[in-house]
Amino acid sequence: MRIGTNFWFAFTLAFTAYLPFYAQLPESITLQQGTNMAVAVSPTGQEMVIDVMGRLWLLPVDGGTASPITDEMGNARQPSWSPDGAYLTFQAYWEGNWHIYTVARDGSQLTQITEGDFDSREPHWSPDGSSIIFASDHSGNYDIYQYAFNSQKTIQLTSDLSNEYGPCWSPNGESVAYVSDHPDQSGIWTYSMASENNSLIQPSEKKVFGVAWSKDGATMTYNEQAAGSSTLHYSHPENSEFSPKQISASTQDVFPFRVSWLDSEQFLYTSDGEIMRSTLTGQSTEKISFEFTVQLNRPSYTKKKRNFNPVENLAIKGICQPQLSPDGESIAAIMLGDIWIIDKNGEGKKLTDDGYYELSPMWSPQGDRLAFLSDRSGIFELYVHHFASGEQEKIGSILGMPSGMSWSPSAEQIAVSTNFGPRLGRVFSANLVTGEIKSVTPMLTSSLGAPSWSPDGELIAFSILQPYSTLYREGVNGVVYYDTSGMLRGRLQGVDTLSLGVRAKDGPLWSPDGQYLASISSGRLWVFPVDSAGQLRAKPMRLTTELADNPSWSGDSQEILYMATNRLRKINIATGEIADVAIDLTWDRQAPSGEMVIHAGTLFDGTSEEVLKDMDVFVSGHRITEIRAHQPNSGSGTFIDASQQFVMPGLIDGHSHQGSYEGEKL
């Protein structure tokens, strides 16, 4: 059976109220494993550094207790020692991008080497101590760069259109090994510092990371990833007849970073959360035990008391996806799961009133209709409400997870952006005359923001991820223009390092007169003066200093309605004047009545150390009254069979990408 959202909401409230309050919580946690960490042995051979929990940690080479070098905010990664063992270089995220830093062994003298809007990664200190090599996407793909300490200048060593990354100095400092994902010659390459020539020394069709030379330069280790596996390998680059061999067991999950050599025979690497000591044969691999302590800096606060009882006349505070009408007099918005129309006095009435989820209310250019999406059939379908007749016309089904809609200037078509997971998206158009829904764009390798028609009806603009390289997903959200035949007609130029929106209902949004694109960037509202092709004709203008979201234009292109932190506001484009939009609407919080028994196959009740099996949860109204071992036909009222399910309290923190655009799941 389908269990409605209202039941689960009431059950969540009831179960949360049942949870005890834990007054005593630990102030620190000692851990003995790490995720995706790298290891680097000091040139002295007496100590090593690992990166774990966003910090660099120093510990004895044979294991033991680790002490932090950097703070917990930098997400410091991939350390490399200076040849004298006094300093480390690494990549960190303090500035909002990956940059290269150096720091003394004792954590002092933290120095930033690279800066700017692009990423720099995987630093490696030269054997003579005079420079650092690293990979950066500064030129549009990843290339290898060298920073010299004496001149404090950076030069680019490679410049192929493919990605070159993971650089590593040879022990004699005469060459640099790196990985290239060149489609025809992928694998491990070397760059000669003397001749400035590049050569392929180890072809590989798999994804390669973590290239490292042995101390004598005769052996090279590297990581290969393919089909869910991550394994450690080695080769002899100077011996063309030697076939690469696998070191680690196929069951191991080897972390994709450089190994760190102890001597001519032994090295350290990380795998399955552990630090491992091994040799090329892999026969004498052993685990090095370590531990580190993380402080839990919990703020002291008074726990908010929640009232789960019915209450009347509560102010409506959750206002979603507000859209200003063309005449600037009304607002359509999602509140309490339904579409409301709010007049200029802040009073409102429901346009829909059902148990389904509505999304993306959009006024027609003339203001006589309102398009919206609803999952009444289990998937999202496009509806149009006619204000004159009150009729709601179903147009058709929309595939994927919609991110927004836009009426064409002629009001004959509606464009809809939909996403198919985090990396695929497509724009569809619905013809309101014929009822046909068809693809406008091909399937694009990014999620897409809401579409916006140009005033002449020739172009559809939307935001899309524009990665700085094909190696990683980092980049900016840019604006692209497609025509109705599905041809890419251009991109918004001149804002290469400004990220526009989060690929949702936050722009770009063409003004009805075609003079501007409105968009959110870094949480603020901007307008971009554009020509008919969507290209800049003047400098972009930031309109707000406060946080803003979900902009919509008035029909005369003079005002923009937007969501501020805790209110709705309008801004006049010409004067910059900002005014609050008053909304005075209330709702009544109700609670279910009657008795209910939930048969839970597996239950976590928030008090027991172990999960419980085959339990009955008794609910009276909106309160849990008892939990006990299941008995057939026990209790009265509604019976919910969750004997094949896991039942637990709600409001548990977790990582999920499911949002309202997926609707109510069956």
Side-chain angles (χ1 to χ4, degrees), residues 316-323 331-342 352 356-361 370 372-373 505 660:
I316 295 179
K317 296 181 178 180
I319 302 171
C320 303
Q321 304 174 3
Q323 294 292 308
I331 296 171
I334 305 292
M335 297 186 294
L336 304 174
D338 288 303
I339 298 176
W340 293 61
I341 304 299
I342 306 164
T352 63
Y356 300 99
Y357 206 91
E358 275 81 43
L359 285 175
S360 295
L370 191 82
F372 64 93
L373 297 164
K505 292 178 66 64
S660 61

Short mmCIF file of all heavy atoms in Angstrom, two decimals, residues 316-323 331-342 352 356-361 370 372-373 505 660:
data_model
loop_
_atom_site.label_atom_id
_atom_site.label_comp_id
_atom_site.label_asym_id
_atom_site.label_seq_id
_atom_site.Cartn_x
_atom_site.Cartn_y
_atom_site.Cartn_z
N ILE A 316 1.90 31.43 8.03
CA ILE A 316 2.55 30.66 6.97
C ILE A 316 3.91 31.29 6.70
O ILE A 316 4.01 32.45 6.33
CB ILE A 316 1.69 30.66 5.70
CG1 ILE A 316 0.37 29.92 5.93
CG2 ILE A 316 2.46 29.99 4.55
CD1 ILE A 316 -0.55 29.90 4.73
N LYS A 317 4.95 30.51 6.90
CA LYS A 317 6.31 31.01 6.71
C LYS A 317 7.02 30.34 5.53
O LYS A 317 7.96 30.89 4.98
CB LYS A 317 7.12 30.80 7.99
CG LYS A 317 6.60 31.59 9.18
CD LYS A 317 7.46 31.38 10.42
CE LYS A 317 6.97 32.20 11.59
NZ LYS A 317 7.80 31.98 12.81
N GLY A 318 6.59 29.15 5.17
CA GLY A 318 7.24 28.44 4.07
C GLY A 318 6.64 28.84 2.74
O GLY A 318 5.61 28.30 2.31
N ILE A 319 7.25 29.80 2.07
CA ILE A 319 6.78 30.30 0.78
C ILE A 319 7.79 29.87 -0.28
O ILE A 319 8.95 30.27 -0.23
CB ILE A 319 6.63 31.83 0.80
CG1 ILE A 319 5.67 32.25 1.91
CG2 ILE A 319 6.15 32.35 -0.56
CD1 ILE A 319 5.61 33.74 2.14
N CYS A 320 7.35 29.04 -1.21
CA CYS A 320 8.26 28.45 -2.19
C CYS A 320 7.92 28.93 -3.60
O CYS A 320 6.74 29.07 -3.95
CB CYS A 320 8.19 26.93 -2.14
SG CYS A 320 8.55 26.22 -0.53
N GLN A 321 8.94 29.16 -4.39
CA GLN A 321 8.83 29.43 -5.82
C GLN A 321 7.84 30.55 -6.15
O GLN A 321 6.97 30.41 -7.01
CB GLN A 321 8.45 28.15 -6.56
CG GLN A 321 9.42 27.02 -6.31
CD GLN A 321 8.98 25.71 -6.92
OE1 GLN A 321 7.96 25.63 -7.60
NE2 GLN A 321 9.76 24.68 -6.69
N PRO A 322 7.94 31.69 -5.48
CA PRO A 322 7.01 32.79 -5.78
C PRO A 322 7.25 33.36 -7.18
O PRO A 322 8.39 33.49 -7.62
CB PRO A 322 7.34 33.82 -4.70
CG PRO A 322 8.77 33.54 -4.34
CD PRO A 322 8.93 32.06 -4.45
N GLN A 323 6.17 33.71 -7.85
CA GLN A 323 6.25 34.25 -9.21
C GLN A 323 5.36 35.48 -9.31
O GLN A 323 4.15 35.41 -9.03
CB GLN A 323 5.81 33.21 -10.24
CG GLN A 323 6.74 32.00 -10.33
CD GLN A 323 8.09 32.37 -10.91
OE1 GLN A 323 8.17 32.99 -11.97
NE2 GLN A 323 9.15 32.00 -10.22
N ILE A 331 0.93 37.47 -6.80
CA ILE A 331 2.04 36.52 -6.70
C ILE A 331 1.46 35.12 -6.64
O ILE A 331 0.51 34.86 -5.88
CB ILE A 331 2.89 36.78 -5.44
CG1 ILE A 331 3.55 38.16 -5.51
CG2 ILE A 331 3.94 35.69 -5.25
CD1 ILE A 331 4.21 38.58 -4.21
N ALA A 332 1.99 34.23 -7.45
CA ALA A 332 1.68 32.80 -7.34
C ALA A 332 2.82 32.14 -6.59
O ALA A 332 3.98 32.42 -6.85
CB ALA A 332 1.51 32.18 -8.72
N ALA A 333 2.49 31.27 -5.63
CA ALA A 333 3.53 30.63 -4.82
C ALA A 333 3.03 29.30 -4.32
O ALA A 333 1.81 29.04 -4.26
CB ALA A 333 3.92 31.53 -3.65
N ILE A 334 3.98 28.44 -3.96
CA ILE A 334 3.67 27.16 -3.33
C ILE A 334 3.72 27.36 -1.82
O ILE A 334 4.74 27.81 -1.27
CB ILE A 334 4.68 26.07 -3.73
CG1 ILE A 334 4.77 25.94 -5.25
CG2 ILE A 334 4.31 24.74 -3.09
CD1 ILE A 334 3.54 25.39 -5.91
N MET A 335 2.62 27.05 -1.15
CA MET A 335 2.57 27.10 0.31
C MET A 335 1.76 25.90 0.80
O MET A 335 0.70 25.61 0.24
CB MET A 335 1.95 28.41 0.80
CG MET A 335 2.74 29.66 0.41
SD MET A 335 2.12 31.20 1.14
CE MET A 335 0.53 31.32 0.34
N LEU A 336 2.27 25.24 1.83
CA LEU A 336 1.59 24.08 2.41
C LEU A 336 1.27 23.03 1.34
O LEU A 336 0.28 22.33 1.41
CB LEU A 336 0.31 24.51 3.11
CG LEU A 336 0.47 25.58 4.20
CD1 LEU A 336 -0.89 26.02 4.73
CD2 LEU A 336 1.34 25.05 5.34
N GLY A 337 2.15 22.92 0.34
CA GLY A 337 2.00 21.90 -0.69
C GLY A 337 1.02 22.22 -1.78
O GLY A 337 0.79 21.39 -2.67
N ASP A 338 0.40 23.40 -1.75
CA ASP A 338 -0.56 23.79 -2.77
C ASP A 338 -0.16 25.12 -3.39
O ASP A 338 0.70 25.84 -2.86
CB ASP A 338 -1.97 23.91 -2.18
CG ASP A 338 -2.58 22.56 -1.84
OD1 ASP A 338 -2.68 21.71 -2.75
OD2 ASP A 338 -2.94 22.35 -0.66
N ILE A 339 -0.79 25.46 -4.51
CA ILE A 339 -0.55 26.75 -5.16
C ILE A 339 -1.53 27.77 -4.61
O ILE A 339 -2.74 27.52 -4.53
CB ILE A 339 -0.72 26.63 -6.68
CG1 ILE A 339 0.31 25.65 -7.27
CG2 ILE A 339 -0.56 28.00 -7.35
CD1 ILE A 339 0.15 25.40 -8.74
N TRP A 340 -1.00 28.92 -4.22
CA TRP A 340 -1.81 30.03 -3.73
C TRP A 340 -1.61 31.23 -4.65
O TRP A 340 -0.54 31.41 -5.24
CB TRP A 340 -1.38 30.44 -2.32
CG TRP A 340 -1.65 29.43 -1.24
CD1 TRP A 340 -1.17 28.15 -1.16
CD2 TRP A 340 -2.47 29.62 -0.09
NE1 TRP A 340 -1.61 27.54 -0.02
CE2 TRP A 340 -2.42 28.41 0.67
CE3 TRP A 340 -3.23 30.69 0.41
CZ2 TRP A 340 -3.10 28.25 1.87
CZ3 TRP A 340 -3.91 30.53 1.61
CH2 TRP A 340 -3.85 29.33 2.32
N ILE A 341 -2.63 32.07 -4.74
CA ILE A 341 -2.54 33.35 -5.42
C ILE A 341 -2.67 34.43 -4.34
O ILE A 341 -3.68 34.49 -3.62
CB ILE A 341 -3.63 33.53 -6.49
CG1 ILE A 341 -3.57 32.39 -7.51
CG2 ILE A 341 -3.46 34.88 -7.18
CD1 ILE A 341 -2.27 32.30 -8.28
N ILE A 342 -1.64 35.27 -4.23
CA ILE A 342 -1.59 36.30 -3.20
C ILE A 342 -1.77 37.66 -3.87
O ILE A 342 -1.06 37.99 -4.83
CB ILE A 342 -0.24 36.25 -2.46
CG1 ILE A 342 0.01 34.83 -1.91
CG2 ILE A 342 -0.20 37.28 -1.33
CD1 ILE A 342 1.44 34.58 -1.52
N THR A 352 -5.00 25.37 -5.86
CA THR A 352 -5.14 23.91 -5.77
C THR A 352 -5.33 23.55 -4.31
O THR A 352 -4.87 24.26 -3.41
CB THR A 352 -3.92 23.18 -6.34
OG1 THR A 352 -2.77 23.50 -5.55
CG2 THR A 352 -3.65 23.57 -7.77
N TYR A 356 -1.61 16.16 -3.36
CA TYR A 356 -0.48 15.94 -4.26
C TYR A 356 0.48 17.13 -4.21
O TYR A 356 0.20 18.15 -3.58
CB TYR A 356 -0.99 15.69 -5.68
CG TYR A 356 -1.88 14.49 -5.76
CD1 TYR A 356 -3.27 14.64 -5.77
CD2 TYR A 356 -1.36 13.20 -5.77
CE1 TYR A 356 -4.10 13.53 -5.81
CE2 TYR A 356 -2.17 12.08 -5.81
CZ TYR A 356 -3.55 12.25 -5.83
OH TYR A 356 -4.36 11.16 -5.86
N TYR A 357 1.60 16.97 -4.93
CA TYR A 357 2.62 18.01 -4.86
C TYR A 357 2.60 18.83 -6.14
O TYR A 357 2.67 18.28 -7.24
CB TYR A 357 4.01 17.38 -4.66
CG TYR A 357 4.96 18.33 -3.98
CD1 TYR A 357 5.08 18.35 -2.60
CD2 TYR A 357 5.71 19.23 -4.72
CE1 TYR A 357 5.93 19.24 -1.97
CE2 TYR A 357 6.56 20.12 -4.11
CZ TYR A 357 6.67 20.12 -2.73
OH TYR A 357 7.52 21.01 -2.11
N GLU A 358 2.49 20.13 -5.98
CA GLU A 358 2.54 21.04 -7.12
C GLU A 358 3.88 21.78 -7.13
O GLU A 358 4.45 22.07 -6.08
CB GLU A 358 1.41 22.06 -7.05
CG GLU A 358 0.10 21.56 -7.64
CD GLU A 358 -0.69 20.69 -6.67
OE1 GLU A 358 -0.78 21.03 -5.48
OE2 GLU A 358 -1.21 19.64 -7.11
N LEU A 359 4.34 22.09 -8.35
CA LEU A 359 5.62 22.76 -8.53
C LEU A 359 5.54 23.80 -9.64
O LEU A 359 4.66 23.73 -10.50
CB LEU A 359 6.71 21.75 -8.92
CG LEU A 359 7.27 20.81 -7.86
CD1 LEU A 359 8.23 19.84 -8.52
CD2 LEU A 359 7.97 21.60 -6.76
N SER A 360 6.47 24.73 -9.61
CA SER A 360 6.77 25.65 -10.72
C SER A 360 5.56 26.40 -11.26
O SER A 360 5.29 26.38 -12.47
CB SER A 360 7.44 24.88 -11.87
OG SER A 360 8.69 24.41 -11.48
N PRO A 361 4.81 27.11 -10.43
CA PRO A 361 3.73 27.94 -11.00
C PRO A 361 4.33 29.05 -11.87
O PRO A 361 5.25 29.75 -11.46
CB PRO A 361 3.05 28.52 -9.76
CG PRO A 361 4.10 28.49 -8.69
CD PRO A 361 4.93 27.28 -8.97
N LEU A 370 -2.14 30.06 -15.69
CA LEU A 370 -1.01 29.69 -14.83
C LEU A 370 -0.65 28.25 -15.12
O LEU A 370 -1.51 27.36 -14.99
CB LEU A 370 -1.36 29.86 -13.36
CG LEU A 370 -0.17 29.76 -12.40
CD1 LEU A 370 0.57 31.09 -12.34
CD2 LEU A 370 -0.62 29.36 -11.00
N PHE A 372 1.58 24.84 -14.22
CA PHE A 372 2.23 24.25 -13.06
C PHE A 372 2.40 22.75 -13.29
O PHE A 372 1.83 22.17 -14.23
CB PHE A 372 1.43 24.51 -11.78
CG PHE A 372 0.05 23.89 -11.74
CD1 PHE A 372 -0.16 22.63 -11.19
CD2 PHE A 372 -1.04 24.58 -12.26
CE1 PHE A 372 -1.43 22.06 -11.15
CE2 PHE A 372 -2.32 24.03 -12.22
CZ PHE A 372 -2.51 22.76 -11.67
N LEU A 373 3.19 22.14 -12.45
CA LEU A 373 3.42 20.70 -12.50
C LEU A 373 2.81 20.06 -11.28
O LEU A 373 2.83 20.62 -10.18
CB LEU A 373 4.92 20.40 -12.55
CG LEU A 373 5.68 20.91 -13.77
CD1 LEU A 373 7.18 20.89 -13.52
CD2 LEU A 373 5.35 20.08 -15.00
N LYS A 505 15.68 27.31 -10.03
CA LYS A 505 14.84 28.44 -10.45
C LYS A 505 15.47 29.76 -10.03
O LYS A 505 14.82 30.64 -9.48
CB LYS A 505 13.45 28.29 -9.84
CG LYS A 505 12.64 27.12 -10.40
CD LYS A 505 11.31 27.01 -9.73
CE LYS A 505 10.40 28.17 -10.02
NZ LYS A 505 10.03 28.29 -11.44
N SER A 660 12.17 18.30 -3.62
CA SER A 660 10.76 18.42 -3.97
C SER A 660 10.51 18.15 -5.45
O SER A 660 9.41 17.75 -5.83
CB SER A 660 10.25 19.81 -3.60
OG SER A 660 10.97 20.81 -4.31
#
